[in-house]
Amino acid sequence: MKYNENKEYNPALRLLALPLVAMAWAGPIRTVRSPHLPPSSIAFGDCKLVIGVTPADNPVFKDFSKAAIDLASDTILIRAGLSPEMDNPVTVDVAVRTPAELLTFRALHFMERENGDLWLCAEKSRGPAMKLGSSGLELRMRQPFCDDERADGACRAAARIIRLSRGQI
């Protein structure tokens, strides 16, 4: 039997490294199937979180929030674009389950704090932010950082995304 090494890589799937590192995840993961998510989507067992990555922009997977209901998990859809961060910025769509309703946020951006915490924020400083950690998503209705820190963190995350997409990490 001959071993074939596939030297091609999918830059979109490389973006899964961002949440995996931020979560310091060592627990079980499994792939999930949903018509509302890309086939490479993975579920993190104990924290009820599903993450999918696609190079496709909206409206592809526009009903991703239905996966949150079907899978009974918060759902993150990373839209990597065909040229991450250079020509087509990476955006993140999130569906968060609450006891009362399903909250959907679109076109969020990664933000990495100096301490390594990974956040999902709106482009503007107003509005909610979500911290991605070992227990899944933590929703904050107000961003716990100032505009300058958010801008620095967005640049830090963008630099990491570029290195990931080039295979340098």
Side-chain angles (χ1 to χ4, degrees):
M1 183 169 182
K2 186 177 178 182
Y3 173 72
N4 290 325
E5 183 178 329
N6 187 356
K7 300 212 183 245
E8 292 183 27
Y9 68 93
N10 181 345
L13 290 180
R14 285 185 173 265
L15 290 179
L16 281 173
L18 281 173
L20 285 172
V21 169
M23 294 172 69
W25 191 258
I29 62 171
R30 63 182 171 80
T31 57
V32 294
R33 291 187 181 193
S34 171
H36 310 292
L37 291 172
S40 59
S41 299
I42 57 175
F44 297 87
D46 299 335
C47 65
K48 293 287 189 182
L49 179 67
V50 174
I51 301 177
V53 182
T54 180
D57 289 330
N58 218 0
V60 178
F61 301 116
K62 70 178 178 179
D63 294 332
F64 82 99
S65 60
K66 290 181 181 176
I69 296 167
D70 295 346
L71 301 170
S73 298
D74 295 338
T75 304
I76 297 174
L77 179 61
I78 302 171
R79 294 186 181 277
L82 297 175
S83 300
E85 288 304 307
M86 293 173 261
D87 299 322
N88 191 0
V90 172
T91 60
V92 184
D93 296 342
V94 179
V96 179
R97 296 173 317 117
T98 69
E101 64 184 328
L102 181 70
L103 303 174
T104 303
F105 305 94
R106 296 190 183 271
L108 299 177
H109 297 279
F110 284 114
M111 184 274 200
E112 184 179 334
R113 295 185 89 170
E114 284 184 353
N115 65 1
D117 288 348
L118 187 65
W119 288 77
L120 300 170
C121 305
E123 193 169 333
K124 307 285 186 206
S125 61
R126 293 187 179 150
M130 284 158 269
K131 180 182 176 186
L132 190 57
S134 60
S135 59
L137 285 172
E138 178 185 320
L139 176 64
R140 300 266 182 99
M141 294 315 285
R142 300 181 86 186
Q143 295 181 12
F145 31 78
C146 65
D147 285 346
D148 291 341
E149 186 180 357
R150 185 187 56 76
D152 287 346
C155 290
R156 198 175 296 112
R160 183 172 295 221
I161 288 168
I162 289 171
R163 289 192 307 272
L164 282 169
S165 67
R166 291 179 180 167
Q168 296 172 339
I169 295 179

